[in-house]
Structures are given as C-alpha cells and as structure tokens.
Amino acid sequence: MIGLAALCASFSGFTALCLAMERHHRDVLGGKPTARRRMLLKAAGAAGVIVALALLASARAWIGLVEWVGVLAAGATLVAVVLAYRPKAAPLAGIIAATAVLPVAIAGFLAS
Amino acid sequence: MTRPASKARVALDITGRSVLAVLGGYAFCSLAGVVLARWLPMSRSEAAITGSILAVPIFVGAAIWCFGVRSAPRMWLGASAATAVLGALLWISLALEPIR
Amino acid sequence: MKAGFRQSMAFLHTWSGLVLGWLLFAIFLTGMASYFKAEIHAWTRPELHVAAQPMAAVQRGIDWIEKAHPGLTSLYVTAPTQRDPSMQSYWQTADGKFDQAWLDPKTGAPAARETQGGEFFYRFHYELMMPYPWGRWLACAAAIFMLVAIVSGVITHKRIFKDFFTWRPSKAAQRAWLDAHNMLGVLSLPFHVMIAWTGIITLLTMAMPWPVAANYGKDEAAFYSDTLGNDFIPAAGKPAGSAPTAPMLAAAAKRWGERGVNAVTVINKGDAASRVLISRESNKRIGYRPDMLRFDGVTGASIDGGRKTGPALETYEVMYGLHMGRFSQPILRVLYFLSGVGGAFMVATGLVLWTVKRRPSPLDGKGAGFGHALVEGLNAGAILGVPTAMAGFFWANRLLPLGMAQRGEWESRTFLIVLGLMIAFSLLRPIRRRWVEGAVIAAAAFGLLPVINALTTDRGLIASLAAGDWGMAGMDLTFLGLAGMFGWIALRVSKAPRGKPVKKRNRLDIALEGAE
C-alpha cells in the first residue's frame, strides 16, 4: 500500500517535471510555460520525489531506499508511456495520482 | 590529422585500443586493486575487499579512456606512465613489508 | 575535440553493446527468472506441496540422506517454504564427491520428478552451461562490457535530460527504436549500473583475487577466517558420535519461528570437530549475511560464532545482497523483475537498431552483406529464441517421463536444442517473416504451457486459482501474459507499413520490400 502511495507520488512528481520541460509543455498544454509556472512545476516534481522517499524510508528503512529508486524508475517510465500514447491525459493523470497519495498512504500505515 | 586515414590504419588503431582496453585494462585494474589493498590504512581483509570492489570501476574507466584518448601513441604513453606509477607504489610497499 | 570524444564513445557504445549483446540478453532473461526461482521450483515439482511443519520435513530429509549415504562427511538441507515446497540438499561422501537432490518434504526422499527447477535458470545466469570457470568468466566479461556500454552511452547521449521522457512510437522506425532504446536505458540507469557492478561482485573472489593474494600471500585461509569467521573448521581426524539434530532445529524454530529457518549444514560428520550450522531465513536486511546458530556436532551444545565485520565487508555484503534481491518483498521483487524486463528490451532494441540503421536500400544497388545478414538472423534467433528455449525447458519438465534416466539433464538440453532450432530457423527465413513467425512460435510455446500443465497434472490454472495457490497460478498467468506479448509483437511486425507512395517511403520500408 505504501509502495503504491510512493508510486503515485513518483508518477505525479515526474509528470510535473516533464511538463516543466518546454517541448512537452507545448505538446500537452500548448505554448511555452512561463518562468513562474516552470518553477511551480519543478517544485511539485521535487515534492513528489521527496514524498516518495519519505514514505518508503519511514516504512522500510534502508530497503525502502532501494524501493525508492525502483519506484522512481517505474513512475518515470509510466509518464513516458502516457506521454507517448495519451499526452493530453498526462496532467489529469498526474493530478489524480497526487491526490491519491495521502489516502493510500494513510491506508497503508493503518494496515501495517 | 586532416587527411582521411586508410582502412588498415583505422583497423590497427581500433585493434590496439581494444587489446589494451581488455587485457591491459584487466591488468591495470588488478594492479590498482593490489596497490589499494597494500596502501589503504585498514585491516588487511578490509583493504583487500576495498581494492577488489574498486577494481571494477577502475577497469571501466581505463577501457573508456583507451577509446577516448586522442591517438594511439598517446594512449600507450599514458598507459605506461600510469602503470609505472602504480608499479612503483607496489614496489615500495613490498620493500616496506614483503608479502607474508 | 569534444565532438571527437563523443563520437569515439558512440563507437565504443555500439561495439561494447553488440559484441556480447546476445549473451547479455540471455543473462538478463535468466536473471529475471531467477528472482522467481522459488516459484519455478514449485511449478516444476507439482507433486510437492507446502509443508505444514518445515522443521519436521528438514529432519526427514537429514534422516534420508544419512540413511542413504552412510559415512558421509557433510550435508546441507534447505527448509521448505511457502513459496518453494522442495528441500534443496547437497552432501559430500567419504570419498570427497559431492551430490545433490531436491527432497520431498513429506518423505525426505528425493522428489519423484527429477529436475533442476529454478536452479537451471539461476546457474545458467552466471555459468552459461559452460564448465567451471569459463562460463563465469564470460559472464563477468559480459558485465564489464555492459558497464562500458552504459558509461559510453551516457557520455554519447547528448540530449539525455532533454529526451528523458521522449518516446515516439509512431515515428519512423529508426527514430522509434532509438527512442525506445534510450528511454529504457536512461530510466533504469541506476538499476543497470547496480546490477552489472554487483553482478561482478558476486564473482569477485574468482575475478579479482589479486588484492587478497597481495595481502595474504599463500595464507588464503586466513582471509576467509578473517571475514567468514571460523565456521568451516577442518576435520580433527578423530571419530566421534553425532548429536541428534532435531532438538537443534527445534531451538532454531523457537528463536526465529517455524518458518524462520533457511538451511541446515552439518560439517565433519562423525568427527570430533563436527559442527551443525543453522542459518536464518531473512528478508529483513539487504546485506547478504544470515544470522546463524551454531552447535557442536558431537555434544549438541550451542557455540558462539566468531565473525568479524568492517565497513568494506559490509559494503561487499550489501552489494551482494542488492544483486540477489532476496530481501525484496513482493513489490520490490516485481520492480526488480520489471527493471530486468526493461533491461532485456533495452538490449534487444539496441541490437535491432544496429541492423535497422545499416539495412541497405535496394536502391543502393547492393544487397545485404554477409555480416549484416548474419547479425540480423542471429538477432531474431536470440531475441525470440532465448525466451522460447526457456518455455521449452518448461515443456520438457511436463512432458519427459518421470522415471527417465538423466531426466534433469535432458530438460536442460531441451533448452539448448530449442535455442539452436530457433537460431537456425531465424537464419533461414526472410527478414520480416522470421520475426513474425518466430514471435508466433514463442507465443504458442508459452500459451500452450498452462494447457499442458492442466492436462498432465492436477494443478492447472483453474485448480490453483480455486485453491488460492498464487505461486502456481502466477506462473501460468505469466506464461499467458508472455504469450500475449509475443502475439502482439507478431501482429505489430506483420502490420508494419509497406508500399507507401514513393516519396514518403523511408529506408526501412524499402529495405523490407527488397528482402521479401
């Protein structure tokens, strides 16, 4: 469960980082991102990555660190796949994943 | 060199680099591992393990260098110099404390 | 100068990847299978069931081995687990010869179906079915080549951050293959560096013995006692009685739980210096060093271990543990598996990309050179052949008669036979057809496995789903999933565009047309 929450955090974080890149922003949302938007997206991306680390490290210590690397790779890959086949769906997918993080994480902590 | 190299020359260059990268690379990283094992300020098992583990990226680095260096003569020169330095370090350590 | 360096790195990346690419592909796939070694052990021995009392089963195993081989000097038995009902065991007889068997937990005797099970893929992964030590050296070489390919790949990939998420499957073939190759390589970069480096670490004592030799000279035994402690003491040469092992197993079970025991080792049996070592099943830490209980083999008394430790040794153990991935609970094991899949696809896309890029256009007036045609054929032969050969192993496991002599060997040989046939087939068929037909063969090979399983045993997919047996069901479902994947590949390749209007045709289309 916690792994799933971390995956959601990773996926939403990488979606944000991806959209902060000019080429992808143009393909998905249209137009160049403003400097402010880029900063916000990058911050959101960093937040997702860090939240994933926090969740896994607190739940499983050093093994959690290894899982974190895996979850980052999985999240980034999912973003690339979404971008390849359904680019316009990327922002919504990212938002859904971001909102799922907290409830799934809570469920995970309660279950353990 | 601005004139295009002949096919034979290119083949020789690549062969030289490959041989040095593979055989020389292994020899060099083993030597580096040995020097680390003998010089690191740790117990002899700890130093030996450290040297062995680090031999791997040293091998990779040496192989990359063999292909990245600009010309074959430069490569042989650099390889010899590095090996000489490591060899000297090994020789000194053996003089200070022979292998028991 | 920079451009020259990048170019030489591109050259190095291509060749370090190609020279051992097919081998790396096979090592990747069998490595991935090894993360599910326990489930494969279970699937390949459908007669065995999960032991309710593992310690009693281990004792039965020890009793059988001792009865069947009086005068043996050492033995080793693993406990059955919930994932793997078999008990892997080794023993050494008085003449110094080793032998092994997988034991049935119910009887303690060897399982009816002689097979290597998951061990086949595990040993292939680092021994490549070659005699010691050649296979291991080749596997080490493959790992070094992989690391060189990774580093040179990163150096040469100018747009590594810009293209991080870029994958355009609909673009012209060469671009799509390159995108896929880059993406698969970059996104799992930490995993690939780790797995290659730690892979060599698992073979370090063979591949890099010089630092130890430099510090210990001829006294190699001192290094092992400095690191492993003094568990494997030499025999004293004085005969002595043996204490019963059942109480020791009970003590271990009391301390760690009934399913907490991993394996039992008895050394110097019948000698005054006999020891019984019981290791703990542990997925709680990364480092590959189990907790141990030690007993005097003569008196049955408990002994303290003499293990030293240090940062370098612990680093070695963590690196070893990272490669083995034994600590990984379900999610992490799946992630390891998926990273391995990604890695295998990365190697495969690289191999295909090389041939696609260099496929000659018939408009050039020259056909494919012999070298190029050979590589194209071997690509398909390896990429489709290795998985099909793995399926072939499972076919042999179900279809070879139980009492057959050297049954286990013949299962392993089936792998090689199928691989050889697939390579030959691939070399003989035209370019596009070999991929479609090969993929269809692979799909059938996997898709029919659950059917064969259901027909030849009572543990088919429906039965195992009904019983909640996720190990068995998971294997059959994976076979079906792989069949689906190969079917999809066959479909995609057969539908690849051909005959577009002249000015829009790309070189791939032209080349494919020319090849039929």
Side-chain angles (χ1 to χ4, degrees):
Chain A
M1 267 312 217
I2 300 206
L4 188 59
L7 183 60
C8 291
S10 159
F11 176 79
S12 59
F14 274 114
T15 304
L17 286 172
C18 171
L19 291 175
M21 292 166 69
E22 183 180 324
R23 166 212 279 175
H24 298 302
H25 189 277
R26 211 171 329 127
D27 289 341
V28 175
L29 296 170
K32 239 173 84 134
T34 61
R36 190 184 130 86
R37 178 176 281 195
R38 290 189 74 199
M39 191 194 71
L40 287 174
L41 283 171
K42 283 194 184 169
V49 166
I50 293 173
V51 163
L53 175 61
L55 285 173
L56 289 170
S58 68
R60 281 200 271 275
W62 288 106
I63 294 181
L65 193 64
V66 181
E67 292 180 340
W68 178 63
V69 176
V71 149
L72 287 185
T77 307
L78 284 172
V79 170
V81 171
V82 168
L83 212 63
Y85 289 110
R86 289 268 180 282
K88 301 280 193 230
L92 184 61
I95 293 177
I96 294 178
T99 45
V101 173
L102 193 58
V104 176
I106 293 180
F109 279 116
L110 286 177
S112 62
Chain B
M1 290 207 283
T2 46
R3 62 177 168 81
S6 69
K7 257 194 163 178
R9 185 168 281 184
V10 170
L12 191 67
D13 180 74
I14 291 176
T15 308
R17 292 183 195 252
S18 305
V19 167
L20 189 66
V22 174
L23 298 176
Y26 182 71
F28 183 79
C29 80
S30 303
L31 182 58
V34 164
V35 167
L36 283 169
R38 294 191 60 85
W39 279 97
L40 284 173
M42 307 163 164
S43 75
R44 35 178 201 155
S45 65
E46 286 278 286
I49 294 175
T50 308
S52 308
I53 293 178
L54 291 178
V56 175
I58 291 175
F59 195 159
V60 177
I64 297 273
W65 180 82
C66 282
F67 280 89
V69 75
R70 223 182 309 169
S71 70
R74 210 178 252 241
M75 175 185 74
W76 291 105
L77 198 64
S80 309
T83 308
V85 170
L86 286 184
L89 286 172
L90 175 60
W91 189 82
I92 295 171
S93 83
L94 287 173
L96 293 174
E97 186 183 325
I99 299 182
R100 29 186 171 136
Chain C
M1 171 60 183
K2 209 61 197 301
F5 182 58
R6 269 233 169 80
Q7 260 167 12
S8 51
M9 287 301 111
F11 173 85
L12 181 60
H13 178 77
T14 301
W15 287 100
S16 58
L18 279 181
V19 167
L20 291 180
W22 299 310
L23 188 64
L24 260 176
F25 185 73
I27 292 177
F28 257 100
L29 290 188
T30 49
M32 283 156 45
S34 298
Y35 285 128
F36 292 92
K37 184 165 68 131
E39 282 77 11
I40 295 177
H41 276 316
W43 193 92
T44 51
R45 298 183 181 89
E47 293 80 18
L48 304 187
H49 296 268
V50 174
Q53 285 165 326
M55 295 296 94
V58 171
Q59 190 55 52
R60 280 193 282 271
I62 295 177
D63 292 339
W64 181 86
I65 298 174
E66 290 180 345
K67 194 150 149 241
H69 303 90
L72 59 74
T73 50
S74 64
L75 66 82
Y76 167 88
V77 179
T78 57
T81 67
Q82 270 156 330
R83 289 170 52 204
D84 173 17
S86 71
M87 303 192 286
Q88 183 172 15
S89 65
Y90 293 94
W91 55 88
Q92 186 175 26
T93 41
D95 57 3
K97 288 223 196 76
F98 280 97
D99 204 353
Q100 76 166 39
W102 275 267
L103 308 176
D104 185 332
K106 230 194 287 182
T107 61
R113 192 180 295 246
E114 189 205 324
T115 173
Q116 291 280 301
E119 196 77 4
F120 170 71
F121 298 110
Y122 179 56
R123 302 213 82 163
F124 184 99
H125 176 70
Y126 64 88
E127 280 189 338
L128 307 171
M129 294 179 82
M130 291 169 74
Y132 180 86
W134 308 109
R136 297 186 190 199
W137 273 109
L138 199 49
C140 271
I144 284 282
F145 273 65
M146 178 174 162
L147 282 171
V148 170
I150 290 176
V151 174
S152 55
V154 168
I155 293 175
T156 205
H157 190 27
K158 271 187 292 202
R159 301 168 54 91
I160 192 165
F161 290 114
K162 286 218 184 84
D163 278 359
F164 196 75
F165 296 104
T166 302
W167 180 37
R168 295 160 288 194
S170 50
K171 278 251 173 173
Q174 198 176 309
R175 184 75 239 181
W177 283 111
L178 182 59
D179 277 354
H181 182 69
N182 291 345
M183 184 186 85
L184 291 165
V186 170
L187 289 179
S188 294
L189 202 56
F191 175 83
H192 291 132
V193 173
M194 181 275 289
I195 213 75
W197 191 355
T198 58
I200 300 174
I201 295 298
T202 61
L203 294 170
L204 206 57
T205 44
M206 178 199 78
M208 189 50 50
W210 318 110
V212 172
N215 278 6
Y216 286 84
K218 290 207 173 57
D219 192 11
E220 201 189 352
F223 172 70
Y224 287 109
S225 80
D226 277 349
T227 49
L228 294 174
N230 285 310
D231 285 330
F232 290 88
I233 51 177
K238 285 194 313 205
S242 305
T245 44
M248 303 177 197
L249 290 171
K254 190 145 165 251
R255 194 173 188 155
W256 298 329
E258 182 74 17
R259 294 202 180 271
V261 170
N262 170 251
V264 182
T265 312
V266 180
I267 57 168
N268 303 330
K269 184 156 175 60
D271 183 273
S274 169
R275 290 264 175 94
V276 176
L277 311 166
I278 304 185
S279 60
R280 183 181 188 177
E281 176 74 56
S282 176
N283 57 4
K284 297 285 181 287
R285 68 145 78 91
I286 302 178
Y288 198 64
R289 185 218 304 185
D291 293 338
M292 293 273 257
L293 282 181
R294 300 166 177 82
F295 299 88
D296 186 302
V298 182
T299 64
S302 177
I303 318 175
D304 279 327
R307 259 207 90 138
K308 303 168 184 102
T309 188
L313 181 57
E314 294 204 354
T315 304
Y316 169 84
E317 285 167 357
V318 167
M319 291 183 85
Y320 203 112
L322 280 173
H323 194 86
M324 300 299 284
R326 294 251 167 98
F327 57 86
S328 41
Q329 284 106 23
I331 293 184
L332 196 48
R333 213 141 42 89
V334 171
L335 286 176
Y336 261 73
F337 183 76
L338 289 176
S339 295
V341 171
F345 272 106
M346 172 189 71
V347 174
T349 50
L351 292 169
V352 172
L353 180 63
W354 189 86
T355 57
V356 165
K357 231 175 145 186
R358 285 162 188 75
R359 215 171 259 160
S361 161
L363 298 182
D364 287 346
K366 39 186 163 117
F370 174 73
H372 189 269
L374 186 65
V375 172
E376 282 233 52
L378 290 176
N379 273 357
I383 293 171
L384 295 172
V386 172
T388 308
M390 290 168 80
F393 174 86
F394 290 115
W395 276 64
N397 174 265
R398 281 299 187 259
L399 296 179
L400 290 179
L402 282 189
M404 179 182 175
Q406 296 198 315
R407 190 184 186 280
E409 284 245 11
W410 274 106
E411 283 184 357
S412 313
R413 287 180 193 145
T414 306
F415 175 93
L416 283 179
I417 294 171
V418 172
L419 182 59
L421 287 173
M422 286 294 284
I423 291 177
F425 173 83
S426 173
L427 285 168
L428 292 171
R429 303 296 290 151
I431 295 182
R432 189 198 292 259
R433 294 248 176 77
R434 68 172 58 124
W435 285 97
V436 178
E437 292 166 1
V440 167
I441 294 175
F446 280 106
L448 288 173
L449 264 176
V451 177
I452 297 177
N453 184 25
L455 290 177
T456 56
T457 73
D458 56 0
R459 300 184 72 177
L461 182 55
I462 316 256
S464 43
L465 282 174
D469 184 350
W470 283 106
M472 273 294 208
M475 289 280 297
D476 278 347
L477 288 171
T478 304
F479 293 146
L480 290 175
L482 289 169
M485 181 188 80
F486 284 111
W488 180 80
I489 290 178
L491 215 60
R492 272 301 293 257
V493 176
S494 68
K495 285 219 194 103
R498 51 173 104 195
K500 284 201 256 183
V502 177
K503 62 178 181 297
K504 284 237 187 84
R505 278 196 298 190
N506 62 23
R507 302 193 79 209
L508 174 62
D509 299 341
I510 298 169
L512 281 176
E513 281 175 6
E516 319 258 55

